[in-house]
Amino acid sequence: MWTTTFIFAAFLGVVSVTAVPIRRHAAPMNISTEVVSIAGGGVPNTPLPSSLAESTLNDIQVASFLENLESAFFQAAVANITAWGTTGFPDDTLDIVRRVAAQEQVHVATFDAILTDFKTPVIPPCQYRFPVTNTSSFLKLAQIITSVGIGAVINLAATTAITDPALIQNLASTVTNEARQDAFFRQAALGLVPNPTPQDTQISAIWALNLALPFVVPNSCPLFPDVPIFPAMTVVTPTGNSTGDNGTITFSTTAGVSGNLSIAWVNQANLPVFTPVGRTLMAGQLTSSIPPGMGGMAFAALVNQTTAKDVMALTTMTLAGPATVQIS
């Protein structure tokens, strides 16, 4: 296992044409010409609107937190994969990871430039610990991280489309880049098809941050977004690269809850699905069923209500989680 500094990112949305007062884009943050060259481009030079909603700036701080995790993860991976080697993986694996690392630095600089321009505190990196010991485990974790980032950016774009549509181009172009990265990791690490579903899955910023927390060294963040923290929940069984869209699943959680509990499932652009929690195998473990009809990456959380119609409502009633579940 190695320890490093990280951050997450990714976003998606629908273009909205609106007359918006614009301003000069903030000067690009500190990013080298070498990084820009490897990434294939730098911080966008399109103008920003004259104002942004406070909620948008808060969400961009969360995006910056997550992007920093991705950036540091991939920068450290370049050095580690050089030592580990890429035997059994595509010959250009290291070159692709090097490009991803540079692109994540550009994503961080893009969000930080927006925050700086609007005099909003930039979220600096934390220190992180990742259970990565070889190229295979790195690529598998990279696929989870990019899936979380994609879901978080979809959420940011969905909310920004209402409050600040002038940012949609920036967010949409970021999420498509993240999706290309995810497609490579799915094939290289898991041997899965790169495009398992017609839509990706939106998760809330709060869920995204909670998924990042297991990798954060406690008390290492100079500044942390103000969000609720839930007890962790992870998949115990089935093991393997994917679970399939049916059968029984066992979760482990630190939540000390009981009563009429359910697992809430979020997948693609669909309504949440709820499955009842069955018997407890041992302290901290619970079972449920995997709903049919899901694909790609799903997200699951422990709840005691079944009324939520979207992931934002689910977030307010989450008792533990979420957990990432690779369905296919």
Side-chain angles (χ1 to χ4, degrees):
M1 180 185 299
W2 43 265
T3 302
T4 186
T5 304
F6 283 51
I7 308 178
F8 270 103
F11 293 86
L12 167 70
V14 178
V15 174
S16 176
V17 180
T18 308
V20 183
I22 59 176
R23 60 194 284 166
R24 178 185 60 79
H25 195 294
M29 304 301 287
N30 186 21
I31 185 169
S32 70
T33 56
E34 180 184 10
V35 168
V36 171
S37 176
I38 295 172
V43 175
N45 61 6
T46 48
L48 293 170
S50 59
S51 63
L52 291 176
E54 182 178 356
S55 60
T56 295
L57 292 170
N58 291 339
D59 285 346
I60 291 174
Q61 285 183 312
V62 173
S64 178
F65 180 93
L66 298 174
E67 283 294 348
N68 272 310
L69 181 145
E70 280 192 279
S71 176
F73 176 64
F74 287 110
Q75 287 182 64
V78 170
N80 282 282
I81 289 178
T82 300
W84 293 329
T86 58
T87 301
F89 298 99
D91 293 340
D92 57 354
T93 294
L94 181 57
D95 290 338
I96 291 173
V97 172
R98 184 178 288 112
R99 182 176 292 269
V100 170
Q103 291 168 347
E104 295 307 325
Q105 287 182 266
V106 172
H107 293 168
V108 171
T110 299
F111 288 124
D112 287 355
I114 295 172
L115 294 173
T116 299
D117 197 52
F118 286 94
K119 296 180 174 55
T120 302
V122 171
I123 305 295
C126 305
Q127 294 179 344
Y128 300 82
R129 292 185 296 237
F130 290 81
V132 176
T133 56
N134 52 43
T135 299
S136 176
S137 59
F138 158 75
L139 292 173
K140 289 179 180 179
L141 183 56
Q143 196 276 320
I144 294 173
I145 287 175
T146 53
S147 292
V148 171
I150 288 168
V153 180
I154 294 173
N155 180 73
L156 178 58
T159 56
T160 302
I162 300 171
T163 59
D164 298 287
L167 289 182
I168 288 298
Q169 177 187 359
N170 191 320
L171 301 180
S173 59
T174 299
V175 80
T176 54
N177 170 260
E178 296 275 348
R180 290 188 185 96
Q181 297 172 7
D182 184 69
F184 170 76
F185 296 131
R186 283 180 56 84
Q187 284 191 304
L190 305 176
L192 300 175
V193 296
N195 54 335
T197 56
Q199 294 93 28
D200 284 307
T201 303
Q202 174 186 349
I203 60 174
S204 67
I206 293 172
W207 272 20
L209 277 174
N210 275 267
L211 284 165
L213 281 181
F215 308 122
V216 176
V217 175
N219 303 314
S220 70
C221 299
L223 184 63
F224 192 84
D226 184 16
V227 298
I229 305 303
F230 305 124
M233 189 171 82
T234 57
V235 176
V236 177
T237 59
T239 58
N241 290 341
S242 60
T243 64
D245 66 346
N246 215 327
T248 300
I249 188 168
T250 302
F251 295 98
S252 175
T253 179
T254 58
V257 293
S258 60
N260 189 20
L261 303 173
S262 298
I263 300 296
W265 298 85
V266 177
N267 187 242
Q268 303 182 63
N270 298 317
L271 294 172
V273 176
F274 300 89
T275 56
V277 169
R279 64 190 180 93
T280 300
L281 299 180
M282 61 180 66
Q285 291 194 0
L286 48 87
T287 62
S288 191
S289 58
I290 302 172
M294 298 194 302
M297 181 68 79
F299 298 88
L302 183 66
V303 298
N304 59 7
Q305 301 179 49
T306 58
T307 57
K309 301 300 183 183
D310 56 46
V311 70
M312 305 308 288
L314 275 180
T315 300
T316 66
M317 60 181 63
T318 297
L319 301 177
T324 57
V325 184
Q326 188 73 61
I327 301 295
S328 65

